[in-house]
Amino acid sequence: MLFTNSSSGEFMATKSATTTKNGKKTNNKPVFVIDKRVRQGFGMALFLLALYLSISFLSFVFTGGQDASQMDLNFGEYMSDPKLKAINWSGKIGAYLAHHIINYGFGLGSYFIPYFLFVLSLRMLRLTENKPYKAFIISTFGVIWSSITLQFIFGEITSGAFVYLGGQHGQLINEYLKALIGGVGVFAVLLLSLIIILAIYSPSTLNSAGDNILKGFSKARLKARDAKIIRSQKVEQEHKKQVQPEFTPSDFITEKDDESDDNDLLDLSTPVNKPIVPKDKSLNLIDIDMNDDDELFNENKGFSSDKPTNKHSRSKDTIDFEIEPSNVEEETFPHDDEEDDFNELALQEFGDYDPTLELSKYVMPSIDLLEDRKNNRQVSEDELYSNKNKIVKTLENYGIGIKSIKATIGPTVTLYEIIPADGVRISKIRNLEDDIALSLSALGIRIIAPIPGKGTIGIEVPNRDPEVVSMRSVISSPKFQDSGFELPVAFGKTITNDTYVLDLAKMPHLLVAGATGQGKSVGLNAIITSLLYKKHPSQLKFVLIDPKKVELSIYSKIENHFLAKLPGGEEAIITDVQLVVHTLNSLTMEMEMRYDLLKKAHTRNIKEYNAKFVKRKLNPENGHRFLPYIVVVIDEFADLIMTAGKEVELPIARIAQLARAVGIHMIIATQRPSTNIITGVIKANFPVRVGFKVASMVDSRTILDSPGANQLIGRGDMLISLNSELVRVQCAFIDTPEVEAIVDFISQQQAYPIPFYLPEYVGEDGLGGETEDLSAANRDSLFEEGARIIVSSQSGSTSLLQRRFSIGYNRAGRLMDQLEAAGIVGPADGSKPRKVLISDEYSLEQIFNRLG
């Protein structure tokens, strides 16, 4: 029996009591009293021990090989030596326990030990009703059976590895059993023991397996019988063509009658007496006729919604009101093993060059790193009819008649398309913008008169409860996942809830402007994230320029994966104005070098050039190499113009005019869209512009060449100018923790040994990038060997170093720069090999001695 002492909070377990002759109850067995706190303490200790063993066992699989050389020491020597470090996640004790329990014990079957400790601890903590003895039996059987089985199957395959899958226990038992009953006998014993334990503790599993086997035999028998019947029928039909068929005509008549009954139920030609209202309220089209309040079905338009119950439900006029709901896109999740997609080109035709081979195990960021912000916010019919009636009333007060109104619901705004009556001037409606905004009590409305490509006038009204467009919904949309763009950028969702995706390679440059706090930084993060989700590090490099020093610093962790910088630069994110000037001029040098390569390859753009290089039609000995796309992101462009002026504007103008064909694209962001910042030269070469909310119409005209950005509602609401057309888009929201998660996911993977280095720029003052440090600590480990190869071959070719040492282009270029600084080779001469300045080994050794 179980009693509770309410005063002390203790549980007392007592044995059955007996009554003496005196009437007193005495226990005939000793009483076992256990304190609740002691029991919980032991349970928690066992739980932590089980967790510690699990972590050490799991880490042993990945790090055991690196710790194996230290395991020959005894426990005292290993623990007392501070110079010995363990790679195992649980430290030296965990590494030692895992090595001896797994290798000298039961192998991977030892995982059943922490399992039993988990069950026992949960039982002591009263968190489970499972009996510990059952877990003990299962764990004991699992340890022994797994040890013998793993050693029996993988013993010879894994011989010599750092981990013995079956441990020494499995090895000894296997050797004994094989000598006694042979390999077949060992297999039979293992199988029989597994069946026995399943029959005792999991009979349902055994029964389901037997049922599946019987079903398989039954299906095979039925297929054989059916095949025999079909063959016999074919023989009979050949000899007797007039034999009565197996199915009677009545059967077909019955099916036809059933079919006709169904058609009668679905016949829309018959008059409908009752309104047909579907259960799903998300209708494809809602068309409401203002002439008749009782008519809920319209043959030309489709089904209508239920009659609204509020005071704004209907107006007694002759205006057709049609509500077009937004589209709902299904999410498409990318494949788990993204590295298989990168190797697909090399697998299709053997011999193609694979630029991703150096980082062949790179995995794209998972969609799960982005937060799933599901919104249940919907624009109610009450709000739609209320806004519609107010718009109609306001226009009627000024003598403007309307034929019909169509509402299209977007994430943050609803577009009301108006067809005015005959004879109404469009300018008259445009001039009523403030009056309509006053009647709707809205933050601000925008009138599109007329809508391009349509014979309607649009009035965009902000929703009372705007929806947040998550970056996850945009990235997972089929429009982004299935896009064939070279540099796809997912901005957000349009007013019809369609994902808005553009190709940066075709823009080819992007200008982003908006007031402070209106979503400009979030927009830049959305653009960069879109590219990180679609491109491999070998295919794309970023040059990040951030005068504020805080907006783009989060991407510094992926320096060796995706970033490009000047040789010798300390920081991957460029913040110093003078370094910005050098970097932009270095980009112009990279552009010219790439044009030289395109000229020699007889190609017109980077896509054709890389396709030829992948097919091995271009010889690397002639200076050819795979060209990644380079995206230059400049934040706070106004600050650069104020401090550097023409030094920044001239190289930007050159890059914007010429760099499209060689894969260099620019994204410029500023919060001061004035004419002295965004000059005519800049605007002429940035055909695609993004405008967030600005303070005045003048700023809107500076960005977009038209008003509208001053009437946005902020918080990511933006206008995109593309081909002289304005598209209103709600920018996808991505928070800083989400960006950090993506950057951390990429940074934890294998990277290139060095960043992508741009050509070294030497300014008019004779100073360029950082001077090359040729100290022994900073020299490349292949410096001397590479110098000897260059001198012996008398060819200062970077591709020669690549082939001899099997290294990437970036490291070979860095090595060549060090050789130039040491005076062994001359400066770069376009795509030609450098001139070798040293002619013999003796002079080369003198240089080595001088460098030390």
Side-chain angles (χ1 to χ4, degrees):
M1 298 177 64
L2 188 66
F3 300 93
T4 305
N5 188 343
S6 59
S7 61
S8 63
E10 299 177 352
F11 287 92
M12 295 184 296
T14 65
K15 300 295 182 180
S16 58
T18 58
T19 306
T20 64
K21 293 181 180 180
N22 297 332
K24 295 181 180 181
K25 294 184 177 180
T26 60
N27 292 331
N28 55 5
K29 296 182 180 180
V31 179
F32 178 71
V33 181
I34 183 170
D35 190 273
K36 177 182 178 182
R37 290 167 292 183
V38 174
R39 175 174 48 78
Q40 289 181 344
F42 273 105
M44 185 58 67
L46 283 176
F47 181 85
L48 294 177
L49 176 60
L51 183 61
Y52 183 80
L53 288 177
S54 300
I55 295 173
S56 63
F57 288 178
L58 179 62
S59 176
F60 177 78
V61 177
F62 302 98
T63 63
Q66 303 176 35
D67 293 333
S69 61
Q70 306 173 6
M71 295 297 111
D72 295 331
L73 302 174
N74 59 49
F75 184 77
E77 293 177 353
Y78 182 54
M79 294 300 156
S80 60
D81 192 348
K83 296 181 180 179
L84 298 178
K85 303 294 183 181
I87 308 299
N88 193 290
W89 304 336
S90 55
K92 298 170 71 173
I93 295 178
Y96 197 88
L97 288 175
H99 178 82
H100 285 77
I101 293 176
I102 293 178
N103 280 346
Y104 296 138
F106 300 95
L108 297 185
S110 304
Y111 281 91
F112 282 93
I113 297 175
Y115 162 74
F116 170 70
L117 295 178
F118 270 125
V119 175
L120 184 59
S121 65
L122 294 178
R123 178 61 178 171
M124 294 186 70
L125 294 172
R126 297 293 190 269
L127 297 177
T128 181
E129 296 298 327
N130 294 335
K131 303 297 183 182
Y133 77 88
K134 184 177 180 180
F136 176 77
I137 295 174
I138 293 176
S139 300
T140 304
F141 174 83
V143 167
I144 299 173
W145 188 88
S146 300
S147 174
I148 300 172
T149 304
L150 290 173
Q151 189 64 28
F152 177 74
I153 298 174
F154 302 104
E156 297 180 359
I157 300 176
T158 60
S159 62
F162 73 92
V163 57
Y164 303 130
L165 299 183
Q168 285 192 358
H169 168 268
Q171 182 179 1
L172 295 175
I173 298 297
N174 265 281
E175 290 175 357
Y176 176 78
L177 291 178
K178 285 183 179 179
L180 191 64
I181 57 178
V184 177
V186 175
F187 176 79
V189 170
L190 292 174
L191 182 61
L192 180 62
S193 60
L194 179 62
I195 293 175
I196 291 173
I197 199 69
L198 288 177
I200 295 174
Y201 288 100
S202 183
S204 58
T205 303
L206 203 61
N207 293 336
S208 61
D211 293 339
N212 291 333
I213 294 174
L214 292 177
K215 287 180 181 179
F217 282 118
S218 300
K219 289 182 179 179
R221 189 173 67 253
L222 290 174
K223 288 183 178 180
R225 189 189 65 182
D226 293 339
K228 184 177 180 181
I229 293 174
I230 292 173
R231 287 196 300 270
S232 63
Q233 289 178 356
K234 288 183 178 179
V235 173
E236 290 178 2
Q237 289 177 0
E238 290 177 358
H239 294 283
K240 298 179 182 180
K241 293 184 179 181
Q242 297 181 353
V243 176
Q244 183 71 19
E246 186 177 354
F247 297 99
T248 61
S250 61
D251 295 329
F252 293 100
I253 294 173
T254 303
E255 293 178 2
K256 187 174 182 180
D257 292 339
D258 295 339
E259 201 171 271
S260 63
D261 293 340
D262 293 339
N263 291 335
D264 292 339
L265 291 174
L266 298 174
D267 189 6
L268 298 179
S269 62
T270 58
V272 180
N273 297 324
K274 295 182 179 181
I276 301 175
V277 181
K279 294 181 180 180
D280 188 7
K281 293 184 178 181
S282 59
L283 306 178
N284 291 331
L285 192 62
I286 300 178
D287 187 18
I288 300 177
D289 190 357
M290 298 300 174
N291 293 326
D292 190 356
D293 291 346
D294 297 327
E295 186 180 357
L296 294 178
F297 182 82
N298 189 322
E299 294 182 358
N300 295 328
K301 300 293 183 182
F303 297 110
S304 67
S305 64
D306 295 337
K307 185 183 297 185
T309 57
N310 62 357
K311 62 182 180 179
H312 302 296
S313 60
R314 299 292 178 91
S315 62
K316 300 296 182 177
D317 53 23
T318 60
I319 300 174
D320 295 334
F321 184 41
E322 175 184 323
I323 302 174
E324 181 177 331
S326 57
N327 300 329
V328 179
E329 294 184 337
E330 296 181 356
E331 293 188 356
T332 303
F333 295 96
H335 196 269
D336 292 336
D337 299 325
E338 293 290 345
E339 65 270 18
D340 294 338
D341 297 334
F342 293 122
N343 295 326
E344 183 180 354
L345 184 61
L347 293 174
Q348 288 178 356
E349 182 179 353
F350 179 77
D352 285 356
Y353 172 76
D354 185 7
T356 67
L357 193 58
E358 192 170 352
L359 297 183
S360 59
K361 295 184 179 180
Y362 176 82
V363 181
M364 291 290 192
S366 170
I367 197 72
D368 297 328
L369 298 174
L370 298 173
E371 187 176 346
D372 189 7
R373 296 182 174 86
K374 292 186 177 179
N375 295 284
N376 296 324
R377 305 173 182 176
Q378 294 182 354
V379 179
S380 63
E381 289 190 3
D382 297 348
E383 180 180 349
L384 293 175
Y385 280 96
S386 174
N387 289 341
K388 168 257 175 186
N389 291 335
K390 289 177 180 179
I391 292 173
V392 171
K393 183 178 179 181
T394 302
L395 295 178
E396 285 180 348
N397 291 338
Y398 291 92
I400 299 175
I402 299 174
K403 290 183 179 180
S404 65
I405 301 179
K406 175 182 177 182
T408 303
I409 305 171
T412 54
V413 296
T414 299
L415 174 64
Y416 295 87
E417 294 185 43
I418 297 174
I419 300 179
D422 297 337
V424 175
R425 297 173 62 89
I426 294 179
S427 59
K428 193 174 183 181
I429 298 178
R430 190 186 294 114
N431 294 333
L432 297 177
E433 186 174 62
D434 295 335
D435 299 279
I436 297 175
L438 177 64
S439 64
L440 295 174
S441 302
L443 294 175
I445 67 171
R446 192 171 75 101
I447 294 181
I448 311 170
I451 297 178
K454 297 183 179 180
T456 58
I457 297 174
I459 301 178
E460 293 177 345
V461 181
N463 298 332
R464 295 175 186 170
D465 194 6
E467 176 185 349
V468 177
V469 177
S470 66
M471 193 68 195
R472 179 188 177 111
S473 64
V474 173
I475 293 294
S476 61
S477 64
K479 194 167 185 180
F480 178 79
Q481 291 294 329
D482 301 335
S483 67
F485 296 154
E486 292 295 320
L487 297 174
V489 175
F491 286 96
K493 293 193 174 183
T494 62
I495 201 169
T496 57
N497 259 345
D498 292 326
T499 302
Y500 193 75
V501 182
L502 291 178
D503 189 0
L504 181 60
K506 294 181 179 178
M507 290 186 192
H509 310 290
L510 181 63
L511 176 63
V512 182
T516 304
Q518 302 304 321
K520 179 167 50 64
S521 297
V522 175
L524 288 180
N525 286 329
I527 294 171
I528 297 174
T529 302
S530 302
L531 297 173
L532 292 178
Y533 263 92
K534 291 291 281 187
K535 306 304 289 184
H536 187 271
S538 64
Q539 301 168 333
L540 174 66
K541 301 297 176 184
F542 288 99
V543 175
L544 301 182
I545 298 174
D546 183 15
K548 280 204 309 189
K549 304 181 181 181
V550 295
E551 291 294 341
L552 302 177
S553 60
I554 192 172
Y555 297 101
S556 60
K557 294 182 181 179
I558 57 174
E559 174 180 351
N560 288 9
H561 290 85
F562 280 101
L563 300 189
K565 65 178 185 178
L566 289 173
E570 296 181 0
E571 297 181 357
I573 313 300
I574 305 166
T575 57
D576 183 71
V577 176
Q578 193 60 36
L579 283 180
V580 171
V581 175
H582 291 164
T583 302
L584 292 175
N585 284 283
S586 176
L587 283 168
T588 59
M589 295 171 59
E590 175 73 15
M591 176 186 70
E592 292 170 354
M593 292 171 59
R594 290 189 172 202
Y595 268 114
D596 290 338
L597 293 176
L598 263 63
K599 178 182 177 182
K600 292 172 61 176
H602 303 289
T603 55
R604 297 181 299 173
N605 53 56
I606 185 175
K607 188 174 181 180
E608 296 178 2
Y609 178 87
N610 283 339
K612 271 192 172 184
F613 190 85
V614 166
K615 293 296 182 182
R616 299 191 184 276
K617 296 180 180 179
L618 301 176
N619 191 351
E621 294 184 356
N622 297 329
H624 292 291
R625 55 189 170 94
F626 185 84
L627 302 179
Y629 286 94
I630 298 178
V631 177
V632 185
V633 181
I634 303 177
D635 195 15
E636 298 301 335
F637 178 66
D639 183 72
L640 292 179
I641 291 295
M642 291 176 60
T643 54
K646 294 294 183 180
E647 291 184 278
V648 170
E649 185 178 353
L650 291 179
I652 287 179
R654 286 205 64 201
I655 295 172
Q657 290 171 354
L658 302 174
R660 170 182 181 174
V662 293
I664 302 177
H665 307 277
M666 303 196 71
I667 301 173
I668 294 179
T670 180
Q671 61 181 3
R672 283 184 51 194
S674 55
T675 53
N676 61 330
I677 302 298
I678 305 177
T679 62
V681 177
I682 298 294
K683 289 176 64 175
N685 293 286
F686 284 76
V688 180
R689 304 167 205 159
V690 175
F692 291 90
K693 181 176 176 59
V694 294
S696 64
M697 185 184 298
V698 176
D699 292 341
S700 177
R701 291 187 181 276
T702 304
I703 307 168
L704 306 172
D705 292 330
S706 64
N710 56 310
Q711 298 163 323
L712 300 176
I713 61 176
R715 298 177 61 86
D717 191 17
M718 61 184 181
L719 288 174
I720 299 179
S721 175
L722 177 64
N723 298 328
S724 301
E725 293 183 3
L726 293 180
V727 181
R728 191 166 187 172
V729 178
Q730 177 61 37
C731 182
F733 177 74
I734 179 169
D735 205 358
T736 303
E738 297 175 77
V739 180
E740 289 179 347
I742 296 171
V743 171
D744 290 340
F745 179 84
I746 296 174
S747 63
Q748 292 170 3
Q749 302 186 55
Q750 180 186 0
Y752 294 107
I754 56 176
F756 182 89
Y757 285 116
L758 299 172
E760 188 170 0
Y761 170 73
V762 179
E764 296 178 357
D765 54 359
L767 299 176
E770 298 291 333
T771 59
E772 196 68 51
D773 187 2
L774 294 178
S775 62
N778 293 322
R779 283 203 303 266
D780 195 289
S781 59
L782 300 174
F783 177 79
E784 293 188 4
E785 190 174 353
R788 290 189 175 94
I789 292 175
I790 293 296
V791 172
S792 62
S793 63
Q794 288 296 302
S795 174
S797 172
T798 305
S799 59
L800 176 62
L801 298 177
Q802 286 183 264
R803 293 195 311 275
R804 291 294 182 90
F805 298 127
S806 298
I807 60 177
Y809 176 81
N810 290 335
R811 186 179 180 185
R814 174 71 170 172
L815 181 56
M816 189 63 71
D817 292 337
Q818 292 182 353
L819 295 175
E820 179 187 355
I824 299 173
V825 296
D829 185 15
S831 59
K832 298 179 181 179
R834 297 173 184 244
K835 183 180 179 181
V836 182
L837 304 178
I838 304 299
S839 59
D840 52 56
E841 291 283 344
Y842 177 75
S843 302
L844 183 62
E845 290 297 332
Q846 288 183 332
I847 293 178
F848 291 159
N849 295 332
R850 187 178 71 250
L851 294 176

